[in-house]
Amino acid sequence: MDFELTDEETAFRDAVRRFGDKVLRPNERRIDQEGRIPPEVLRAMAELGLLAMPVPEGYGGIGASAVLTELAAEEIGRGDFSMATAVFFLLEAGWGSLLSRYGREEVKLQVLPRVCRGEAFLGIASTEPGGGSDLAHMRTQARREGDEFVLRGEKSFISGTEEANRLGGGHLTLARDAAGSGFHFLYVPTRSPGVSIQKFENMGRMGISTGSLIYDDVRVPAQNLIGEAGRGFSLAMEGFTIARTFVSAACIGAAERALEAGIAHVKERRAFGQPLGKFEAIQFELVDLYSQIEAVKWQCRRAAWLIDRYTLAGDTSHRSEVDRAVASVKLTAPPTAFETVKRVMMWYGAAGYTKDVGLDLGFRGVMSYMVGAEGGLNIMRIILGRELLGKEFLPYT
Ligand SMILES: Cc1cc2nc3c(=O)[nH]c(=O)nc-3n(C[C@H](O)[C@H](O)[C@H](O)COP(=O)(O)OP(=O)(O)OC[C@H]3O[C@@H](n4cnc5c(N)ncnc54)[C@H](O)[C@@H]3O)c2cc1C
């Protein structure tokens, strides 16, 4: 067992950390205030190979492993503490990887190189106004008509709706077959006739939009189908497995950044004649957070390693092990990050409540992964319950 990163992984991770320090940190407040990631930041990401990085070189990516992408996600979560850049990054990495493996050649060539250059956005549209956890009961329908699917329905709380409209691009969209033959997974360009969008006013990660996508008989070419007709549900689940690992990595980066700020502060700030860090009440909290972050980090690296070894290799023999690893880390990484940000805010006292210190960005950004983005915490518990106890213990059967 070797926990050491390869020279290539270390060099790439260091390059992304430098990018985070030099480009993301100085821009994070602006990203939060202006509600978008500046074009020059996206260009810099494209130059570093960070956009949709697992996509193979033939489609414009760098063919990165899940482990390398996980390392990059940590650094981006650490760099832009608001999480907006991390969300942009991880959606394209996770869903770009899926499209590159299961999409039709014409669509891959049409979409992926533009996504990797930062000239289009790629996301996922599964959640509906009626709910995001209980996907099997979704209402959006796709009806096959000759060489097209006709899409009708509504998706909501979808990340990147404005970006896909502004830059170009679209979402991998899960829809029920109108004739009852399973679920189709389709790439739907946002600028297709019949698609309209509505923006939500979020409380955090303001640099990437969240909105509704309303489909009024949208005609989608059959070549935009991902994988086989009627088999979209399991493909979407595979995409979530990958994206949840990168979500967790971004949360770990945010947690590490918060803890570093906390360590610097408790060494400097004095109360009752000594630095705060000398009080056991503070010191013990700090070391508990450190060990939690370390535990989650290695859990996350292992999840990425399992994905490389099995999921991306098309080997389903270890599916249960992969599902358990990913659900465990998505269950623990966001609360660890949120708890760390919250504790560090408290060590800062009143200053922690100001925008000058900047902890508000992480507080609001990480919360999105507590409430549900890429699957709620209870859904991770349900996945783990199913894996540990058996399908007959699913609470809704
Ligand atoms: C900022 C943000 C960005 C998002 N981006 C996207 C996106 O790009 N694409 C997309 O498709 N979706 C996106 N989502 C939606 C996200 O996937 C959903 O929020 C999530 O799946 C939960 O669905 P819901 O919000 O409808 O909550 P619900 O499904 O209504 O659930 C509400 C609460 O009940 C819990 N719950 C549900 N069922 C059970 C159960 N059986 N037992 C116990 N508890 C349960 C849930 O965990 C949750 O806490 C985003 C959400 C946010 C907040």
PDB file of all heavy atoms in Angstrom, residues 91 124-128 130-134 156-159 171 202 205 210 240 368 371-379 382 395-396, ligand 1:
ATOM      1  N   LEU A  91     -18.683  19.748 -11.860  1.00  0.00           N
ATOM      2  CA  LEU A  91     -19.789  19.319 -12.735  1.00  0.00           C
ATOM      3  C   LEU A  91     -19.240  18.920 -14.100  1.00  0.00           C
ATOM      4  O   LEU A  91     -19.575  17.867 -14.640  1.00  0.00           O
ATOM      5  CB  LEU A  91     -20.813  20.445 -12.890  1.00  0.00           C
ATOM      6  CG  LEU A  91     -21.730  20.670 -11.697  1.00  0.00           C
ATOM      7  CD1 LEU A  91     -22.550  21.945 -11.889  1.00  0.00           C
ATOM      8  CD2 LEU A  91     -22.664  19.483 -11.490  1.00  0.00           C
ATOM      9  N   ILE A 124     -25.666  18.847 -15.202  1.00  0.00           N
ATOM     10  CA  ILE A 124     -26.602  17.728 -15.025  1.00  0.00           C
ATOM     11  C   ILE A 124     -27.973  18.284 -14.654  1.00  0.00           C
ATOM     12  O   ILE A 124     -28.072  19.183 -13.809  1.00  0.00           O
ATOM     13  CB  ILE A 124     -26.096  16.750 -13.928  1.00  0.00           C
ATOM     14  CG1 ILE A 124     -27.202  15.771 -13.445  1.00  0.00           C
ATOM     15  CG2 ILE A 124     -25.578  17.491 -12.695  1.00  0.00           C
ATOM     16  CD1 ILE A 124     -27.502  14.668 -14.395  1.00  0.00           C
ATOM     17  N   ALA A 125     -29.014  17.760 -15.261  1.00  0.00           N
ATOM     18  CA  ALA A 125     -30.376  18.174 -14.920  1.00  0.00           C
ATOM     19  C   ALA A 125     -31.182  16.931 -14.562  1.00  0.00           C
ATOM     20  O   ALA A 125     -31.635  16.196 -15.452  1.00  0.00           O
ATOM     21  CB  ALA A 125     -31.020  18.922 -16.092  1.00  0.00           C
ATOM     22  N   SER A 126     -31.334  16.691 -13.256  1.00  0.00           N
ATOM     23  CA  SER A 126     -32.167  15.559 -12.825  1.00  0.00           C
ATOM     24  C   SER A 126     -33.276  16.022 -11.878  1.00  0.00           C
ATOM     25  O   SER A 126     -34.401  15.538 -11.967  1.00  0.00           O
ATOM     26  CB  SER A 126     -31.314  14.466 -12.157  1.00  0.00           C
ATOM     27  OG  SER A 126     -30.673  14.952 -11.014  1.00  0.00           O
ATOM     28  N   THR A 127     -32.981  16.982 -10.991  1.00  0.00           N
ATOM     29  CA  THR A 127     -33.963  17.405  -9.980  1.00  0.00           C
ATOM     30  C   THR A 127     -35.160  18.108 -10.619  1.00  0.00           C
ATOM     31  O   THR A 127     -35.012  18.823 -11.610  1.00  0.00           O
ATOM     32  CB  THR A 127     -33.279  18.378  -8.982  1.00  0.00           C
ATOM     33  OG1 THR A 127     -32.119  17.731  -8.465  1.00  0.00           O
ATOM     34  CG2 THR A 127     -34.202  18.760  -7.840  1.00  0.00           C
ATOM     35  N   GLU A 128     -36.328  17.899 -10.027  1.00  0.00           N
ATOM     36  CA  GLU A 128     -37.563  18.539 -10.524  1.00  0.00           C
ATOM     37  C   GLU A 128     -38.230  19.305  -9.384  1.00  0.00           C
ATOM     38  O   GLU A 128     -37.908  19.085  -8.212  1.00  0.00           O
ATOM     39  CB  GLU A 128     -38.495  17.466 -11.064  1.00  0.00           C
ATOM     40  CG  GLU A 128     -37.824  16.660 -12.167  1.00  0.00           C
ATOM     41  CD  GLU A 128     -38.800  15.911 -13.043  1.00  0.00           C
ATOM     42  OE1 GLU A 128     -39.963  15.746 -12.649  1.00  0.00           O
ATOM     43  OE2 GLU A 128     -38.377  15.521 -14.141  1.00  0.00           O
ATOM     44  N   GLY A 130     -40.895  18.746  -8.037  1.00  0.00           N
ATOM     45  CA  GLY A 130     -41.503  17.785  -7.110  1.00  0.00           C
ATOM     46  C   GLY A 130     -40.497  17.070  -6.226  1.00  0.00           C
ATOM     47  O   GLY A 130     -40.895  16.316  -5.336  1.00  0.00           O
ATOM     48  N   GLY A 131     -39.195  17.239  -6.465  1.00  0.00           N
ATOM     49  CA  GLY A 131     -38.203  16.604  -5.610  1.00  0.00           C
ATOM     50  C   GLY A 131     -36.976  16.140  -6.365  1.00  0.00           C
ATOM     51  O   GLY A 131     -37.048  15.845  -7.561  1.00  0.00           O
ATOM     52  N   GLY A 132     -35.859  16.088  -5.627  1.00  0.00           N
ATOM     53  CA  GLY A 132     -34.595  15.656  -6.220  1.00  0.00           C
ATOM     54  C   GLY A 132     -34.129  14.316  -5.689  1.00  0.00           C
ATOM     55  O   GLY A 132     -33.349  13.617  -6.334  1.00  0.00           O
ATOM     56  N   SER A 133     -34.609  13.938  -4.501  1.00  0.00           N
ATOM     57  CA  SER A 133     -34.129  12.681  -3.902  1.00  0.00           C
ATOM     58  C   SER A 133     -34.805  11.480  -4.546  1.00  0.00           C
ATOM     59  O   SER A 133     -34.166  10.474  -4.849  1.00  0.00           O
ATOM     60  CB  SER A 133     -34.435  12.677  -2.396  1.00  0.00           C
ATOM     61  OG  SER A 133     -33.898  13.828  -1.788  1.00  0.00           O
ATOM     62  N   ASP A 134     -36.097  11.606  -4.769  1.00  0.00           N
ATOM     63  CA  ASP A 134     -36.890  10.483  -5.274  1.00  0.00           C
ATOM     64  C   ASP A 134     -36.963  10.557  -6.798  1.00  0.00           C
ATOM     65  O   ASP A 134     -38.015  10.815  -7.388  1.00  0.00           O
ATOM     66  CB  ASP A 134     -38.297  10.590  -4.645  1.00  0.00           C
ATOM     67  CG  ASP A 134     -39.170   9.422  -5.029  1.00  0.00           C
ATOM     68  OD1 ASP A 134     -38.651   8.461  -5.628  1.00  0.00           O
ATOM     69  OD2 ASP A 134     -40.377   9.477  -4.724  1.00  0.00           O
ATOM     70  N   SER A 156     -35.496  21.641 -11.886  1.00  0.00           N
ATOM     71  CA  SER A 156     -35.269  22.834 -11.056  1.00  0.00           C
ATOM     72  C   SER A 156     -34.041  22.658 -10.167  1.00  0.00           C
ATOM     73  O   SER A 156     -33.562  21.539  -9.976  1.00  0.00           O
ATOM     74  CB  SER A 156     -36.508  23.163 -10.221  1.00  0.00           C
ATOM     75  OG  SER A 156     -36.836  22.092  -9.412  1.00  0.00           O
ATOM     76  N   PHE A 157     -33.569  23.789  -9.659  1.00  0.00           N
ATOM     77  CA  PHE A 157     -32.331  23.864  -8.858  1.00  0.00           C
ATOM     78  C   PHE A 157     -31.130  23.350  -9.657  1.00  0.00           C
ATOM     79  O   PHE A 157     -30.266  22.667  -9.115  1.00  0.00           O
ATOM     80  CB  PHE A 157     -32.468  23.089  -7.534  1.00  0.00           C
ATOM     81  CG  PHE A 157     -33.658  23.512  -6.727  1.00  0.00           C
ATOM     82  CD1 PHE A 157     -34.768  22.688  -6.616  1.00  0.00           C
ATOM     83  CD2 PHE A 157     -33.684  24.755  -6.123  1.00  0.00           C
ATOM     84  CE1 PHE A 157     -35.878  23.091  -5.890  1.00  0.00           C
ATOM     85  CE2 PHE A 157     -34.792  25.173  -5.405  1.00  0.00           C
ATOM     86  CZ  PHE A 157     -35.895  24.342  -5.287  1.00  0.00           C
ATOM     87  N   ILE A 158     -31.105  23.651 -10.923  1.00  0.00           N
ATOM     88  CA  ILE A 158     -30.052  23.138 -11.798  1.00  0.00           C
ATOM     89  C   ILE A 158     -28.891  24.138 -11.868  1.00  0.00           C
ATOM     90  O   ILE A 158     -29.094  25.313 -12.194  1.00  0.00           O
ATOM     91  CB  ILE A 158     -30.602  22.880 -13.228  1.00  0.00           C
ATOM     92  CG1 ILE A 158     -31.850  21.968 -13.156  1.00  0.00           C
ATOM     93  CG2 ILE A 158     -29.519  22.305 -14.132  1.00  0.00           C
ATOM     94  CD1 ILE A 158     -31.647  20.646 -12.449  1.00  0.00           C
ATOM     95  N   SER A 159     -27.695  23.655 -11.581  1.00  0.00           N
ATOM     96  CA  SER A 159     -26.518  24.531 -11.613  1.00  0.00           C
ATOM     97  C   SER A 159     -26.117  24.822 -13.051  1.00  0.00           C
ATOM     98  O   SER A 159     -26.131  23.921 -13.905  1.00  0.00           O
ATOM     99  CB  SER A 159     -25.336  23.863 -10.910  1.00  0.00           C
ATOM    100  OG  SER A 159     -25.631  23.622  -9.568  1.00  0.00           O
ATOM    101  N   HIS A 171     -27.114  20.550 -20.609  1.00  0.00           N
ATOM    102  CA  HIS A 171     -27.140  19.631 -19.462  1.00  0.00           C
ATOM    103  C   HIS A 171     -27.457  18.204 -19.901  1.00  0.00           C
ATOM    104  O   HIS A 171     -28.287  18.002 -20.801  1.00  0.00           O
ATOM    105  CB  HIS A 171     -28.192  20.105 -18.450  1.00  0.00           C
ATOM    106  CG  HIS A 171     -27.806  21.386 -17.769  1.00  0.00           C
ATOM    107  ND1 HIS A 171     -27.918  22.616 -18.372  1.00  0.00           N
ATOM    108  CD2 HIS A 171     -27.280  21.610 -16.531  1.00  0.00           C
ATOM    109  CE1 HIS A 171     -27.492  23.552 -17.545  1.00  0.00           C
ATOM    110  NE2 HIS A 171     -27.098  22.974 -16.416  1.00  0.00           N
ATOM    111  N   ASN A 202     -29.963  32.353  -4.897  1.00  0.00           N
ATOM    112  CA  ASN A 202     -29.332  31.540  -3.859  1.00  0.00           C
ATOM    113  C   ASN A 202     -28.731  32.407  -2.760  1.00  0.00           C
ATOM    114  O   ASN A 202     -28.560  33.607  -2.929  1.00  0.00           O
ATOM    115  CB  ASN A 202     -28.215  30.696  -4.467  1.00  0.00           C
ATOM    116  CG  ASN A 202     -28.752  29.478  -5.189  1.00  0.00           C
ATOM    117  OD1 ASN A 202     -29.859  29.039  -4.910  1.00  0.00           O
ATOM    118  ND2 ASN A 202     -27.981  28.943  -6.107  1.00  0.00           N
ATOM    119  N   ARG A 205     -22.422  30.494  -3.014  1.00  0.00           N
ATOM    120  CA  ARG A 205     -21.757  30.089  -4.264  1.00  0.00           C
ATOM    121  C   ARG A 205     -22.345  30.872  -5.437  1.00  0.00           C
ATOM    122  O   ARG A 205     -22.771  30.304  -6.434  1.00  0.00           O
ATOM    123  CB  ARG A 205     -21.795  28.571  -4.476  1.00  0.00           C
ATOM    124  CG  ARG A 205     -23.103  27.890  -4.217  1.00  0.00           C
ATOM    125  CD  ARG A 205     -23.078  26.431  -4.578  1.00  0.00           C
ATOM    126  NE  ARG A 205     -23.704  26.213  -5.856  1.00  0.00           N
ATOM    127  CZ  ARG A 205     -24.009  25.020  -6.356  1.00  0.00           C
ATOM    128  NH1 ARG A 205     -23.693  23.930  -5.701  1.00  0.00           N
ATOM    129  NH2 ARG A 205     -24.593  24.895  -7.508  1.00  0.00           N
ATOM    130  N   THR A 210     -28.083  28.998 -10.360  1.00  0.00           N
ATOM    131  CA  THR A 210     -28.967  27.842 -10.183  1.00  0.00           C
ATOM    132  C   THR A 210     -30.326  28.263 -10.727  1.00  0.00           C
ATOM    133  O   THR A 210     -30.807  29.356 -10.429  1.00  0.00           O
ATOM    134  CB  THR A 210     -29.115  27.481  -8.687  1.00  0.00           C
ATOM    135  OG1 THR A 210     -27.820  27.375  -8.113  1.00  0.00           O
ATOM    136  CG2 THR A 210     -29.828  26.155  -8.509  1.00  0.00           C
ATOM    137  N   PHE A 240     -23.255  10.394 -10.874  1.00  0.00           N
ATOM    138  CA  PHE A 240     -23.325  10.944  -9.506  1.00  0.00           C
ATOM    139  C   PHE A 240     -22.208  10.376  -8.635  1.00  0.00           C
ATOM    140  O   PHE A 240     -21.636  11.086  -7.804  1.00  0.00           O
ATOM    141  CB  PHE A 240     -24.693  10.668  -8.866  1.00  0.00           C
ATOM    142  CG  PHE A 240     -25.756  11.642  -9.293  1.00  0.00           C
ATOM    143  CD1 PHE A 240     -26.921  11.224  -9.900  1.00  0.00           C
ATOM    144  CD2 PHE A 240     -25.571  13.007  -9.084  1.00  0.00           C
ATOM    145  CE1 PHE A 240     -27.897  12.134 -10.309  1.00  0.00           C
ATOM    146  CE2 PHE A 240     -26.537  13.927  -9.483  1.00  0.00           C
ATOM    147  CZ  PHE A 240     -27.701  13.482 -10.100  1.00  0.00           C
ATOM    148  N   SER A 368     -24.400  24.540   0.544  1.00  0.00           N
ATOM    149  CA  SER A 368     -25.140  23.981  -0.605  1.00  0.00           C
ATOM    150  C   SER A 368     -25.003  22.455  -0.633  1.00  0.00           C
ATOM    151  O   SER A 368     -25.905  21.750  -1.082  1.00  0.00           O
ATOM    152  CB  SER A 368     -24.654  24.590  -1.919  1.00  0.00           C
ATOM    153  OG  SER A 368     -23.376  24.115  -2.260  1.00  0.00           O
ATOM    154  N   VAL A 371     -27.388  20.903   2.113  1.00  0.00           N
ATOM    155  CA  VAL A 371     -28.830  20.813   1.847  1.00  0.00           C
ATOM    156  C   VAL A 371     -29.167  19.858   0.708  1.00  0.00           C
ATOM    157  O   VAL A 371     -30.284  19.375   0.640  1.00  0.00           O
ATOM    158  CB  VAL A 371     -29.500  22.186   1.586  1.00  0.00           C
ATOM    159  CG1 VAL A 371     -29.367  23.107   2.764  1.00  0.00           C
ATOM    160  CG2 VAL A 371     -28.974  22.841   0.330  1.00  0.00           C
ATOM    161  N   GLY A 372     -28.223  19.622  -0.189  1.00  0.00           N
ATOM    162  CA  GLY A 372     -28.648  18.645  -1.185  1.00  0.00           C
ATOM    163  C   GLY A 372     -27.875  18.547  -2.475  1.00  0.00           C
ATOM    164  O   GLY A 372     -27.978  17.536  -3.143  1.00  0.00           O
ATOM    165  N   ALA A 373     -27.125  19.573  -2.877  1.00  0.00           N
ATOM    166  CA  ALA A 373     -26.507  19.502  -4.198  1.00  0.00           C
ATOM    167  C   ALA A 373     -25.744  18.180  -4.355  1.00  0.00           C
ATOM    168  O   ALA A 373     -24.984  17.796  -3.477  1.00  0.00           O
ATOM    169  CB  ALA A 373     -25.583  20.703  -4.400  1.00  0.00           C
ATOM    170  N   GLU A 374     -25.980  17.488  -5.458  1.00  0.00           N
ATOM    171  CA  GLU A 374     -25.434  16.150  -5.760  1.00  0.00           C
ATOM    172  C   GLU A 374     -25.932  15.078  -4.787  1.00  0.00           C
ATOM    173  O   GLU A 374     -25.292  14.049  -4.584  1.00  0.00           O
ATOM    174  CB  GLU A 374     -23.896  16.144  -5.788  1.00  0.00           C
ATOM    175  CG  GLU A 374     -23.285  17.156  -6.712  1.00  0.00           C
ATOM    176  CD  GLU A 374     -23.411  16.828  -8.192  1.00  0.00           C
ATOM    177  OE1 GLU A 374     -23.571  15.657  -8.540  1.00  0.00           O
ATOM    178  OE2 GLU A 374     -23.368  17.763  -8.997  1.00  0.00           O
ATOM    179  N   GLY A 375     -27.094  15.328  -4.188  1.00  0.00           N
ATOM    180  CA  GLY A 375     -27.705  14.309  -3.314  1.00  0.00           C
ATOM    181  C   GLY A 375     -27.609  14.698  -1.849  1.00  0.00           C
ATOM    182  O   GLY A 375     -26.532  15.045  -1.361  1.00  0.00           O
ATOM    183  N   GLY A 376     -28.746  14.663  -1.147  1.00  0.00           N
ATOM    184  CA  GLY A 376     -28.784  15.034   0.270  1.00  0.00           C
ATOM    185  C   GLY A 376     -28.073  14.018   1.152  1.00  0.00           C
ATOM    186  O   GLY A 376     -27.817  12.874   0.741  1.00  0.00           O
ATOM    187  N   LEU A 377     -27.760  14.432   2.374  1.00  0.00           N
ATOM    188  CA  LEU A 377     -27.026  13.547   3.289  1.00  0.00           C
ATOM    189  C   LEU A 377     -27.835  12.283   3.595  1.00  0.00           C
ATOM    190  O   LEU A 377     -27.291  11.182   3.685  1.00  0.00           O
ATOM    191  CB  LEU A 377     -26.681  14.280   4.587  1.00  0.00           C
ATOM    192  CG  LEU A 377     -25.807  15.545   4.437  1.00  0.00           C
ATOM    193  CD1 LEU A 377     -25.467  16.110   5.814  1.00  0.00           C
ATOM    194  CD2 LEU A 377     -24.530  15.266   3.659  1.00  0.00           C
ATOM    195  N   ASN A 378     -29.145  12.433   3.740  1.00  0.00           N
ATOM    196  CA  ASN A 378     -29.954  11.247   4.039  1.00  0.00           C
ATOM    197  C   ASN A 378     -29.968  10.262   2.876  1.00  0.00           C
ATOM    198  O   ASN A 378     -30.140   9.055   3.081  1.00  0.00           O
ATOM    199  CB  ASN A 378     -31.394  11.645   4.398  1.00  0.00           C
ATOM    200  CG  ASN A 378     -31.501  12.084   5.853  1.00  0.00           C
ATOM    201  OD1 ASN A 378     -30.552  11.943   6.612  1.00  0.00           O
ATOM    202  ND2 ASN A 378     -32.663  12.602   6.238  1.00  0.00           N
ATOM    203  N   ILE A 379     -29.813  10.780   1.674  1.00  0.00           N
ATOM    204  CA  ILE A 379     -29.766   9.869   0.517  1.00  0.00           C
ATOM    205  C   ILE A 379     -28.471   9.047   0.568  1.00  0.00           C
ATOM    206  O   ILE A 379     -28.468   7.861   0.235  1.00  0.00           O
ATOM    207  CB  ILE A 379     -29.918  10.663  -0.809  1.00  0.00           C
ATOM    208  CG1 ILE A 379     -31.276  11.394  -0.820  1.00  0.00           C
ATOM    209  CG2 ILE A 379     -29.764   9.770  -2.041  1.00  0.00           C
ATOM    210  CD1 ILE A 379     -32.494  10.541  -0.430  1.00  0.00           C
ATOM    211  N   ILE A 382     -29.188   6.373   2.930  1.00  0.00           N
ATOM    212  CA  ILE A 382     -30.039   5.323   2.329  1.00  0.00           C
ATOM    213  C   ILE A 382     -29.191   4.391   1.459  1.00  0.00           C
ATOM    214  O   ILE A 382     -29.346   3.172   1.490  1.00  0.00           O
ATOM    215  CB  ILE A 382     -31.201   5.971   1.534  1.00  0.00           C
ATOM    216  CG1 ILE A 382     -32.200   6.591   2.525  1.00  0.00           C
ATOM    217  CG2 ILE A 382     -31.881   4.957   0.632  1.00  0.00           C
ATOM    218  CD1 ILE A 382     -33.304   7.406   1.873  1.00  0.00           C
ATOM    219  N   PRO A 395     -35.933   2.017   2.850  1.00  0.00           N
ATOM    220  CA  PRO A 395     -37.070   2.479   3.633  1.00  0.00           C
ATOM    221  C   PRO A 395     -38.343   2.689   2.828  1.00  0.00           C
ATOM    222  O   PRO A 395     -39.434   2.751   3.378  1.00  0.00           O
ATOM    223  CB  PRO A 395     -36.588   3.811   4.214  1.00  0.00           C
ATOM    224  CG  PRO A 395     -35.377   4.181   3.463  1.00  0.00           C
ATOM    225  CD  PRO A 395     -34.806   2.947   2.865  1.00  0.00           C
ATOM    226  N   TYR A 396     -38.229   2.808   1.497  1.00  0.00           N
ATOM    227  CA  TYR A 396     -39.425   3.128   0.713  1.00  0.00           C
ATOM    228  C   TYR A 396     -39.912   1.969  -0.128  1.00  0.00           C
ATOM    229  O   TYR A 396     -40.544   2.151  -1.149  1.00  0.00           O
ATOM    230  CB  TYR A 396     -39.184   4.357  -0.167  1.00  0.00           C
ATOM    231  CG  TYR A 396     -37.861   4.352  -0.875  1.00  0.00           C
ATOM    232  CD1 TYR A 396     -37.675   3.618  -2.033  1.00  0.00           C
ATOM    233  CD2 TYR A 396     -36.783   5.083  -0.357  1.00  0.00           C
ATOM    234  CE1 TYR A 396     -36.467   3.605  -2.668  1.00  0.00           C
ATOM    235  CE2 TYR A 396     -35.558   5.073  -0.999  1.00  0.00           C
ATOM    236  CZ  TYR A 396     -35.400   4.328  -2.140  1.00  0.00           C
ATOM    237  OH  TYR A 396     -34.195   4.308  -2.767  1.00  0.00           O
TER     238      TYR A 396
HETATM  239  C1  LIG B   1     -27.073  24.980  -4.886  1.00  0.00           C
HETATM  240  C2  LIG B   1     -27.691  23.759  -5.475  1.00  0.00           C
HETATM  241  C3  LIG B   1     -27.341  23.353  -6.761  1.00  0.00           C
HETATM  242  C4  LIG B   1     -27.952  22.229  -7.325  1.00  0.00           C
HETATM  243  N1  LIG B   1     -27.585  21.848  -8.596  1.00  0.00           N
HETATM  244  C5  LIG B   1     -28.220  20.800  -9.192  1.00  0.00           C
HETATM  245  C6  LIG B   1     -27.926  20.418 -10.535  1.00  0.00           C
HETATM  246  O1  LIG B   1     -27.022  20.969 -11.174  1.00  0.00           O
HETATM  247  N2  LIG B   1     -28.646  19.432 -11.095  1.00  0.00           N
HETATM  248  C7  LIG B   1     -29.635  18.773 -10.421  1.00  0.00           C
HETATM  249  O2  LIG B   1     -30.249  17.888 -11.003  1.00  0.00           O
HETATM  250  N3  LIG B   1     -29.941  19.100  -9.140  1.00  0.00           N
HETATM  251  C8  LIG B   1     -29.257  20.096  -8.522  1.00  0.00           C
HETATM  252  N4  LIG B   1     -29.558  20.452  -7.224  1.00  0.00           N
HETATM  253  C9  LIG B   1     -30.647  19.776  -6.556  1.00  0.00           C
HETATM  254  C10 LIG B   1     -30.181  18.678  -5.619  1.00  0.00           C
HETATM  255  O3  LIG B   1     -29.774  17.541  -6.329  1.00  0.00           O
HETATM  256  C11 LIG B   1     -31.369  18.397  -4.694  1.00  0.00           C
HETATM  257  O4  LIG B   1     -31.458  19.495  -3.807  1.00  0.00           O
HETATM  258  C12 LIG B   1     -31.241  17.115  -3.927  1.00  0.00           C
HETATM  259  O5  LIG B   1     -31.265  15.998  -4.760  1.00  0.00           O
HETATM  260  C13 LIG B   1     -32.402  17.009  -2.895  1.00  0.00           C
HETATM  261  O6  LIG B   1     -33.623  17.190  -3.549  1.00  0.00           O
HETATM  262  P1  LIG B   1     -34.670  18.296  -3.019  1.00  0.00           P
HETATM  263  O7  LIG B   1     -33.944  19.567  -2.811  1.00  0.00           O
HETATM  264  O8  LIG B   1     -35.802  18.277  -3.951  1.00  0.00           O
HETATM  265  O9  LIG B   1     -35.085  17.768  -1.606  1.00  0.00           O
HETATM  266  P2  LIG B   1     -36.138  16.615  -1.291  1.00  0.00           P
HETATM  267  O10 LIG B   1     -35.938  15.472  -2.216  1.00  0.00           O
HETATM  268  O11 LIG B   1     -37.494  17.222  -1.217  1.00  0.00           O
HETATM  269  O12 LIG B   1     -35.673  16.212   0.152  1.00  0.00           O
HETATM  270  C14 LIG B   1     -35.773  17.135   1.234  1.00  0.00           C
HETATM  271  C15 LIG B   1     -35.017  16.597   2.411  1.00  0.00           C
HETATM  272  O13 LIG B   1     -35.537  15.333   2.805  1.00  0.00           O
HETATM  273  C16 LIG B   1     -34.518  14.367   2.807  1.00  0.00           C
HETATM  274  N5  LIG B   1     -35.089  13.093   2.364  1.00  0.00           N
HETATM  275  C17 LIG B   1     -35.634  12.810   1.147  1.00  0.00           C
HETATM  276  N6  LIG B   1     -36.029  11.529   1.102  1.00  0.00           N
HETATM  277  C18 LIG B   1     -35.738  10.992   2.322  1.00  0.00           C
HETATM  278  C19 LIG B   1     -35.915   9.698   2.900  1.00  0.00           C
HETATM  279  N7  LIG B   1     -36.417   8.680   2.201  1.00  0.00           N
HETATM  280  N8  LIG B   1     -35.509   9.516   4.190  1.00  0.00           N
HETATM  281  C20 LIG B   1     -34.968  10.527   4.896  1.00  0.00           C
HETATM  282  N9  LIG B   1     -34.790  11.766   4.407  1.00  0.00           N
HETATM  283  C21 LIG B   1     -35.144  11.994   3.128  1.00  0.00           C
HETATM  284  C22 LIG B   1     -33.460  14.878   1.852  1.00  0.00           C
HETATM  285  O14 LIG B   1     -32.167  14.354   2.164  1.00  0.00           O
HETATM  286  C23 LIG B   1     -33.534  16.376   2.106  1.00  0.00           C
HETATM  287  O15 LIG B   1     -32.762  16.711   3.231  1.00  0.00           O
HETATM  288  C24 LIG B   1     -28.924  21.521  -6.603  1.00  0.00           C
HETATM  289  C25 LIG B   1     -29.240  21.910  -5.300  1.00  0.00           C
HETATM  290  C26 LIG B   1     -28.630  22.994  -4.731  1.00  0.00           C
HETATM  291  C27 LIG B   1     -28.965  23.389  -3.330  1.00  0.00           C
END
